[in-house]
Amino acid sequence: MPDRRREDQGESTCLSMTFSFRFLDDVALADLAFEAEGDSIQALFAGATQALLTTLADPATVGSSWERRIQRQDADLPQLLFDWLSDIVYWKDAAGVVFHDAPLTVAREGGQWVLTARLIGDPVNREEQELRSDVKGVTKHLYELRQVNDRWTTRVVLDV
């Protein structure tokens, strides 16, 4: 399977939110890293989510016969993103699926951030899907989430 890390990048504008992600070379030899950014917390989460989905498989080659609803909350926004990305890796392994999409919302409710999402995908099928990296986990190595002016950014390193 060819190494597609360098050529995959993404940008999206949907429902008045903008996000982007890019894969980072030379961050860690045995890992894969990406940065995502967005013009809001929700856009940042969407960009990081899309980067992870794209790392696993080309979403355009994955159907939508499998779905799981997920809700998480945490007062710590970086921890919420970390846990959400870890959920994606968990369901990839537990259900043997890769993902087509993961629509989500992130909102502040009282003192908590609340993420509501759906993972949509199909069981792994090497004949029909363009599979990429088998991510084993999200790491805390160089992990960060921050706001710079009006943009939110995150850096994530994945154990592959």
Side-chain angles (χ1 to χ4, degrees):
M1 181 178 320
D3 182 354
R4 301 184 50 96
R5 288 180 282 188
R6 288 181 180 232
E7 60 187 75
D8 287 329
Q9 295 189 12
E11 288 189 30
S12 180
T13 303
C14 57
L15 301 175
S16 74
M17 71 175 164
T18 303
F19 67 80
S20 65
F21 64 88
R22 66 185 178 93
F23 293 100
L24 305 173
D25 293 326
D26 305 323
V27 170
L29 293 177
D31 296 331
L32 190 144
F34 66 84
E35 287 182 340
E37 66 176 47
D39 59 2
S40 66
I41 294 294
Q42 185 164 315
L44 173 69
F45 272 64
T49 299
Q50 194 61 42
L52 179 52
L53 300 187
T54 301
T55 298
L56 300 172
D58 178 352
T61 66
V62 178
S64 56
S65 66
W66 183 94
E67 184 173 320
R68 177 77 52 192
R69 293 186 184 280
I70 296 174
Q71 185 166 27
R72 283 195 158 274
Q73 62 183 26
D74 202 309
D76 181 10
L77 189 60
Q79 188 62 48
L80 182 63
L81 177 60
F82 183 89
D83 291 344
W84 161 239
L85 296 176
S86 296
D87 281 343
I88 294 170
V89 175
Y90 170 79
W91 284 110
K92 177 220 27 128
D93 291 333
V97 297
V98 286
F99 307 101
H100 172 75
D101 198 9
L104 59 83
T105 60
V106 181
R108 185 96 167 143
E109 294 180 12
Q112 299 281 314
W113 289 98
V114 178
L115 168 103
T116 304
R118 290 183 306 140
L119 286 173
I120 302 167
D122 261 342
V124 170
N125 180 336
R126 294 183 192 320
E127 304 291 318
E128 296 180 14
Q129 299 160 344
E130 182 185 323
L131 302 176
R132 294 180 175 162
S133 298
D134 183 19
V135 175
K136 293 170 182 50
V138 181
T139 74
K140 292 282 184 156
H141 178 65
L142 300 175
Y143 180 75
E144 72 175 357
L145 186 155
R146 60 192 167 100
Q147 184 177 15
V148 178
N149 299 321
D150 61 345
R151 300 290 290 173
W152 290 88
T153 64
T154 189
R155 180 176 48 227
V156 177
V157 177
L158 304 170
D159 180 18
V160 292

